[in-house]
């Protein structure tokens, strides 16, 4: 019995000594990690600086860590506070252009509470505790942007009839580089409007364009939500009602990130020309429907977007046959070449 007491006392003393050892460990830390990513600096910075994308790359879950941005220098650096288990840490990320893409340098510093000191002792140092998380996060950025964004497929579905639709819309203009970020924000705004006003929607959100331009000029578009009846809103409201009648369209399906929209539109328009159609923006609209997207699916390689090019059949009207004069010459205004009907 006495031996057992000595053993328990020894264990107690060892425990106290271990706790004292952990508590007296160095309280501050500074960790640095780097990774080169084969994507443009602008794309990487836009992805990392978008708070809605944190769950796609940050190694800590949203319950474990929160991020507050203190300073944002576009395409250059981010200064943030990352709070991990109520412990605030200062984070600095720098983005440097390279031949392959961008070099991301991530520095984090802060103070360790007892729990983090304990983990550091058990795992061989704070570098293994926090440093591994930084490495995992950088690897996640690389995987998401290089693999997820580059994996895509475009399928041409042929000629379809797009049925009449009533909808509510929000119209905006932005550059091609800003389109994904702006349209995401508009969709969130639109869904909040629908929920706040108890509006019943009849399908998936979609975007309409009056025209699809091949250059890099600003995009004019409308974020839309289909509804049962056409809705009238007050003048000056950012949300308005809209409507289109049934029209003929060439349909294409893009599986992958929205950055491949241009490729999908070009294929659909080329298919229309090949099949003898001309675009018909008078009776229809260019439409994108998000069949599979955020927030249900986080991986861009699995997003599914349907695209519709409004068309009508190209009509040729031949001119009357030429008549020969008594001198054997032809009327110079006549021709056998067919002409396209006015659009």
């Amino acid at each position: 019995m006495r031996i057992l007491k000595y053993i328990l006392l020894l264990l107690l003393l060892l425990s106290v000594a271990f706790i004292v050892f952990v508590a007296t460990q160095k309280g501050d830390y500074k960790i640095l990690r780097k990774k080169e990513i084969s994507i443009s600096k602008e794309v990487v910075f836009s992805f990392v600086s978008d708070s809605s994308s944190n769950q796609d790359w940050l190694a800590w879950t949203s319950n474990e860590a929160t991020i507050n941005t203190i300073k944002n220098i576009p395409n250059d650096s981010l200064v943030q506070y990352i709070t991990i288990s109520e412990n605030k840490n200062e984070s600095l990320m720098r983005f440097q252009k390279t031949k392959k893409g961008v070099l991301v340098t991530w520095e984090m510093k802060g103070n360790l509470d007892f729990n983090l000191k304990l983990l550091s002792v058990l795992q061989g140092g704070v570098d293994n505790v926090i440093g591994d998380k930084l490495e995992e996060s950088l690897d996640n950025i690389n995987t998401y942007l290089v693999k997820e964004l580059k994996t895509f497929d475009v399928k041409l579905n042929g000629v379809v009839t797009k049925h009449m639709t009533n909808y509510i819309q929000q119209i905006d203009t932005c550059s091609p580089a800003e389109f994904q970020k702006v349209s995401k924000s508009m969709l969130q705004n639109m869904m909040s409007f629908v929920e706040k006003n108890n509006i019943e929607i009849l399908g998936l959100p979609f975007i309409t364009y009056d025209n699809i331009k091949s250059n890099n000029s600003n995009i004019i578009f409308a974020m839309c939500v289909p509804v049962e009846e056409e809705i009238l809103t007050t003048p000056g409201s950012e949300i308005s009602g809209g409507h289109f009648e049934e029209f003929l369209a060439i349909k294409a399906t893009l599986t992958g990130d929205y950055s491949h929209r241009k490729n999908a539109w070009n294929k659909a328009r080329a298919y229309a020309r090949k099949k003898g159609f001309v675009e018909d923006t008078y009776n229809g609209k260019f439409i994108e429907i998000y069949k599979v997207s955020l927030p249900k699916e986080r991986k861009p390689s699995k997003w599914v977007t349907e695209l519709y090019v409004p068309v009508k059949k190209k009509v040729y009207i031949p001119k009357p046959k030429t008549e020969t004069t008594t001198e054997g010459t032809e009327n110079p205004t006549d021709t056998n070449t067919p002409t396209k009907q006015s659009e």
Side-chain angles (χ1 to χ4, degrees):
M1 188 69 177
R2 182 177 299 178
I3 295 176
L4 180 59
K5 288 181 179 180
Y6 286 145
I7 293 175
L8 292 176
L9 179 60
L10 179 61
L11 291 175
L12 178 60
L13 291 174
L14 289 174
S15 299
V16 172
F18 181 73
I19 292 172
V20 171
F21 173 75
V22 171
T24 55
Q25 292 298 299
K26 187 178 179 180
D28 59 334
Y29 75 91
K30 185 177 181 180
I31 303 294
L32 182 69
R33 290 291 188 272
K34 296 182 179 182
K35 189 170 187 67
E36 187 174 24
I37 300 174
S38 300
I39 293 289
S40 73
K41 179 172 67 172
E42 292 74 18
V43 170
V44 176
F45 183 88
S46 177
F47 175 68
V48 174
S49 61
D50 183 359
S51 59
S52 66
S53 300
N54 289 345
Q55 60 184 301
D56 295 319
W57 64 273
L58 197 63
W60 293 278
T61 66
S62 57
N63 293 327
E64 293 175 324
T66 57
I67 297 181
N68 294 314
T69 300
I70 307 303
K71 188 176 183 180
N72 180 329
I73 302 178
N75 302 321
D76 179 82
S77 58
L78 280 172
V79 178
Q80 300 170 311
Y81 282 133
I82 301 182
T83 303
I84 305 170
S85 300
E86 301 183 356
N87 201 41
K88 184 181 287 187
N89 306 270
E90 186 175 334
S91 167
L92 171 61
M93 298 184 78
R94 296 188 180 94
F95 304 81
Q96 181 182 359
K97 185 177 180 180
T98 65
K99 291 183 179 180
K100 293 182 178 180
V102 59
L103 176 66
V104 182
T105 303
W106 192 357
E107 177 184 298
M108 187 179 290
K109 59 183 179 180
N111 296 307
L112 301 174
D113 59 15
F114 181 82
N115 290 333
L116 285 175
K117 286 182 179 181
L118 177 60
L119 285 174
S120 298
V121 170
L122 295 176
Q123 297 183 24
V126 65
D127 195 77
N128 293 332
V129 177
I130 296 180
D132 286 355
K133 288 290 187 180
L134 299 189
E135 287 185 6
E136 183 182 348
S137 298
L138 291 172
D139 288 341
N140 289 341
I141 295 172
N142 182 71
T143 299
Y144 189 96
L145 294 180
V146 175
K147 181 181 178 181
E148 285 294 325
L149 297 194
K150 286 188 175 182
T151 303
F152 78 100
D153 177 68
V154 177
K155 178 182 178 182
L156 293 169
N157 305 101
V159 183
V160 299
T161 299
K162 195 76 182 75
H163 298 296
M164 180 276 293
T165 301
N166 294 314
Y167 55 87
I168 54 175
Q169 63 180 350
Q170 181 181 358
I171 301 173
D172 204 348
T173 303
C174 70
S175 67
E178 297 174 324
F179 176 77
Q180 186 168 333
K181 188 174 183 179
V182 172
S183 61
K184 183 192 296 185
S185 175
M186 289 175 64
L187 178 58
Q188 293 172 345
N189 183 50
M190 182 69 70
M191 298 311 293
S192 295
F193 178 85
V194 166
E195 184 177 352
K196 181 179 179 181
N197 292 276
N198 295 318
I199 297 174
E200 182 179 357
I201 61 176
L202 296 182
L204 296 169
F206 61 93
I207 283 180
T208 65
Y209 309 85
D210 289 330
N211 189 25
I212 297 292
K213 298 180 180 179
S214 58
N215 55 27
N216 291 321
S217 59
N218 283 346
I219 301 172
I220 302 174
F221 66 100
M223 176 62 69
C224 308
V225 174
V227 294
E228 184 174 1
E229 297 181 356
E230 192 169 0
I231 294 177
L232 299 177
T233 55
T234 57
S237 172
E238 63 177 4
I239 306 295
S240 60
H243 169 90
F244 60 75
E245 294 292 341
E246 183 175 282
F247 64 90
L248 200 64
I250 299 297
K251 177 183 175 182
T253 301
L254 167 64
T255 302
D257 183 68
Y258 304 136
S259 60
H260 303 291
R261 293 168 49 257
K262 184 177 180 180
N263 183 294
W265 281 117
N266 288 342
K267 285 190 175 182
R269 300 175 86 177
Y271 179 86
R273 292 190 295 269
K274 180 180 178 181
K275 295 298 182 180
F277 290 94
V278 293
E279 294 174 7
D280 183 13
T281 55
Y282 180 80
N283 294 303
K285 291 180 177 292
F286 293 90
I287 295 176
E288 291 176 355
I289 300 179
Y290 302 126
K291 299 291 288 186
V292 179
S293 63
L294 294 170
K296 291 184 177 181
E297 177 56 62
R298 301 298 307 180
K299 294 184 177 180
S301 63
K302 295 184 178 181
W303 293 348
V304 178
T305 306
E306 293 180 348
L307 302 91
Y308 296 85
V309 177
V311 295
K312 61 183 177 182
K313 196 67 177 178
K314 187 184 295 184
V315 178
Y316 291 98
I317 302 178
K319 287 190 174 182
K321 293 182 179 180
T322 58
E323 295 180 0
T324 305
T325 65
T326 55
E327 290 79 15
T329 59
E330 293 185 347
N331 186 334
T333 61
D334 292 338
T335 176
N336 289 322
T337 304
T339 58
K340 184 176 72 173
Q341 186 181 36
S342 173
E343 299 178 19

